[in-house]
């Protein structure tokens, strides 16, 4: 019986766990003498059939040893790269290096950027003046999708003012806010997507680093994986994210016992400071990738930040806002609803809302939703704040139909 010589002298077969950047995972078997380049070709055939036929596709990817965070050399075998049985390897697409501009092209590049700057409103009107008009209800198209969200924001602004006044009358308001704020901070510190964390730790990343990467990248596994690889040599990678524990400990300390009048004034001042801290902590955080993408279109940073804030961090909607009439304006976001309007009066007359406004957690939830509307789902599912939000929605829908 004839046996091929390469099979007689083949090395030990290793079972390797391969993870692609799109989240796909599978087992790949390879002998110790298999080259890294050959293993990469087989991985590409598995996750992207046909791509390995293009020689450029192979060179545009790299294999990374997850446990040691090393990029494997294509010219070496997996034995020479010290890859062991059951090891985890990451298949990542390489980032194309940006070519260095020639000195003669620098001024031309700057001129091109100026030419590509986004057109202003007048320029758009001049360019579209000869286009045929179409019969469509433009007002309905613009207002119907964002009616509730726009009104909800105004409602929240006004309800925050009412809640602050009500809570300031409570002699235990300061202590209640400290406890509620501490509880919310603990929830934020502990909130990590368990499935995403498990996926990263199974790739070989330490749990503490994986948690940090997920929090910095909005629980996105591919972005967290890229961050971990890029910051593998960063000496501060194991430094935990700053938390409010110190602030809570300081806030929990005993207070002095002044006179009743001085105590009331001190409590009001302390409550004012707590409100300011809450506002600062809940301030809007723009999506970094969206900021970069929109600025590359020619918009300046302030315009981009305003657009993302108005459009809840949605890049496409922010782009349309920048190119359109820019309504609502950022200033309009901080305007409340007319306190004499039937809608606001109906909301204040609701018993569930009245009770919720005396709960400090409700005020904190309103503040959070103002600056981070994507967190609304979290508060809708909260046993304390969910019923309040449900009643506000029902009142709005009832009056909107009438």
């Amino acid at each position: 019986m004839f046996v091929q010589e390469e099979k007689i002298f083949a090395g030990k077969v290793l079972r390797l766990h391969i993870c692609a950047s799109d989240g796909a995972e599978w087992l790949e078997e390879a002998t110790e003498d298999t080259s890294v380049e050959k293993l990469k070709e087989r991985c590409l055939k598995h996750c992207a059939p046909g791509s390995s036929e293009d020689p450029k596709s192979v060179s545009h990817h790299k294999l990374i040893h997850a446990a040691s965070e090393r990029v494997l050399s294509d010219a070496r075998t997996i034995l020479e790269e010290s890859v062991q049985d059951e090891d985890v390897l990451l298949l990542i697409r390489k980032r194309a290096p940006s070519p260095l501009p020639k000195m003669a092209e620098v001024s031309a590049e700057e001129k091109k950027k100026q030419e590509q700057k986004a057109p202003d409103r007048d320029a758009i009107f001049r360019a579209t003046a000869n286009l045929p008009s179409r019969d469509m209800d433009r007002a309905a198209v613009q207002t119907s999708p964002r009616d509730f969200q726009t009104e909800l924001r105004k409602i929240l602004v006004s309800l925050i003012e009412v809640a602050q006044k009500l809570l300031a009358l409570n002699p235990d308001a300061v202590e209640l806010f400290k406890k509620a704020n501490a509880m919310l901070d603990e929830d934020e510190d502990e909130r990590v997507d368990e499935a995403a964390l498990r996926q990263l730790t199974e790739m070989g990343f330490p749990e503490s680093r994986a948690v940090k990467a997920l929090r910095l990248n909005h629980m996105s596994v591919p972005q967290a994986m890229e961050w971990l690889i890029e910051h593998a040599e960063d000496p501060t990678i194991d430094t935990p994210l700053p938390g409010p524990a110190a602030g809570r400990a300081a806030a929990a300390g005993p207070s002095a016992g002044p006179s009743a009048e001085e105590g009331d004034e001190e409590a009001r001042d302390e409550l004012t400071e707590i409100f300011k801290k809450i506002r600062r902590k809940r301030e809007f955080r723009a999506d970094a990738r969206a900021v970069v993408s929109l600025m590359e279109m020619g918009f300046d940073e302030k315009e981009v930040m305003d657009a993302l804030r108005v459009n809840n961090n949605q890049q496409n909607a922010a782009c349309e806002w920048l190119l359109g009439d820019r309504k609502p304006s950022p200033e309009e976001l901080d305007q409340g609803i007319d306190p004499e309007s039937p809608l606001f009066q109906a909301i204040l007359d609701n018993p569930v809302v009245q009770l919720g406004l005396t709960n400090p957690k409700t005020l904190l939830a309103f503040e959070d939703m103002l600056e981070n509307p994507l967190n609304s789902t979290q508060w809708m599912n909260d046993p304390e704040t969910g019923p309040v939000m449900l009643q506000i929605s029902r009142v709005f829908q009832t009056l909107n139909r009438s």
Side-chain angles (χ1 to χ4, degrees):
M1 185 174 101
F2 176 74
V3 180
Q4 292 183 7
E5 182 181 349
E6 61 178 0
K7 292 188 177 180
I8 296 176
F9 297 101
K12 177 183 174 183
V13 176
L14 304 181
R15 290 166 58 85
L16 305 173
H17 296 269
I18 309 297
C19 300
S21 57
D22 61 358
E25 300 180 28
W26 70 93
L27 280 174
E28 192 76 46
E29 292 186 351
T31 58
E32 291 177 322
D33 57 355
T34 302
S35 69
V36 173
E37 184 175 19
K38 193 69 177 176
L39 177 59
K40 191 164 60 174
E41 289 179 6
R42 287 163 55 181
C43 292
L44 286 171
K45 285 182 180 179
H46 183 279
C47 67
S51 63
S52 61
E53 297 174 4
D54 180 5
K56 290 185 179 180
S57 178
V58 178
S59 61
H60 288 170
H61 289 76
K62 57 186 174 181
L63 281 173
I64 298 174
H65 190 256
S68 62
E69 301 176 4
R70 291 182 296 107
V71 178
L72 304 184
S73 172
D74 288 352
R76 305 180 69 182
T77 65
I78 57 178
L79 176 61
E80 292 170 338
E81 288 287 355
S82 303
V83 177
Q84 304 294 323
D85 192 35
E86 300 293 335
D87 275 0
V88 177
L89 302 182
L90 310 178
L91 180 64
I92 305 292
R93 185 175 182 84
K94 296 179 182 177
R95 289 187 175 180
S98 301
L100 294 174
K102 297 178 182 179
M103 293 301 295
E105 296 176 354
V106 173
S107 58
E109 185 68 23
E110 289 298 323
K111 183 178 179 181
K112 186 178 179 182
K113 283 184 178 179
Q114 291 296 324
E115 292 174 352
Q116 291 179 341
K117 191 172 182 179
D120 57 21
R121 186 176 181 180
D122 292 337
I124 294 173
F125 280 139
R126 286 196 302 270
T128 59
N130 297 324
L131 293 178
S133 60
R134 297 181 180 274
D135 295 328
M136 58 184 295
D137 189 351
R138 185 174 296 274
V141 172
Q142 290 180 347
T143 59
S144 58
R146 54 185 310 139
D147 243 355
F148 178 65
Q149 288 301 322
T150 303
E151 289 301 314
L152 177 61
R153 184 174 184 89
K154 293 180 181 178
I155 292 168
L156 292 179
V157 169
S158 296
L159 287 179
I160 286 173
E161 295 177 4
V162 174
Q164 286 180 347
K165 292 176 182 177
L166 289 174
L167 290 164
L169 299 174
N170 189 329
D172 300 322
V174 172
E175 202 60 37
L176 288 171
F177 264 97
K178 287 178 181 177
K179 291 179 181 178
N181 202 20
M183 178 178 64
L184 290 175
D185 287 335
E186 288 168 3
D187 288 344
E188 288 181 357
D189 289 346
E190 297 169 2
R191 196 181 301 124
V192 176
D193 189 325
E194 293 298 330
L197 178 60
R198 184 167 57 253
Q199 192 171 345
L200 288 175
T201 53
E202 286 177 353
M203 293 179 187
F205 295 109
E207 183 174 343
S208 59
R209 293 187 180 186
V211 168
K212 182 176 181 179
L214 287 170
R215 285 179 179 158
L216 289 173
N217 292 278
H218 308 289
M219 300 300 155
S220 168
V221 173
Q223 292 180 23
M225 186 193 306
E226 283 188 21
W227 185 90
L228 285 165
I229 294 169
E230 289 175 0
H231 293 79
E233 305 300 327
D234 189 340
T236 65
I237 189 172
D238 292 313
T239 304
L241 292 173
R248 291 199 299 268
S255 59
S259 65
E261 186 175 345
E262 291 175 349
D264 290 343
E265 186 175 350
E266 184 178 335
R268 284 194 296 271
D269 292 342
E270 191 171 359
L271 194 59
T272 302
E273 286 302 311
I274 291 175
F275 287 151
K276 290 179 180 178
K277 288 178 181 177
I278 292 170
R279 285 271 173 106
R280 286 196 297 269
K281 185 168 59 180
R282 306 294 181 193
E283 66 184 4
F284 174 71
R285 296 182 294 275
D287 184 287
R289 289 173 182 253
V291 171
V292 173
S293 297
L294 291 171
M295 288 184 66
E296 287 177 349
M297 296 180 186
F299 300 109
D300 64 44
E301 186 174 2
K302 184 181 183 306
E303 288 179 318
V304 170
M305 296 294 288
D306 287 343
L308 290 171
R309 181 168 179 246
V310 170
N311 292 280
N312 305 337
N313 257 336
Q314 302 298 313
Q315 182 177 329
N316 291 340
C319 185
E320 291 181 10
W321 183 88
L322 287 164
L323 295 172
D325 57 6
R326 303 195 177 188
K327 297 291 183 181
S329 66
E331 292 73 22
E332 291 175 17
L333 293 181
D334 298 322
Q335 295 176 0
I337 193 171
D338 180 4
E340 302 300 325
S341 67
L343 174 59
F344 193 61
Q345 290 299 319
I347 290 172
L348 289 181
D349 288 341
N350 188 286
V352 177
V353 176
Q354 291 175 0
L355 185 61
L357 292 177
T358 62
N359 184 350
K361 188 175 181 180
T362 303
L363 176 55
L364 298 177
F366 289 170
E367 292 278 6
D368 190 26
M369 285 187 285
L370 272 185
E371 297 303 338
N372 299 287
L374 297 179
N375 291 346
S376 298
T377 303
Q378 167 197 335
W379 298 115
M380 287 292 290
N381 294 328
D382 187 276
E384 294 181 62
T385 59
V388 178
M389 296 303 301
L390 180 62
Q391 291 303 317
I392 292 173
S393 174
R394 285 179 175 174
V395 171
F396 176 84
Q397 291 171 4
T398 301
L399 294 183
N400 219 27
R401 285 196 298 264
S402 59

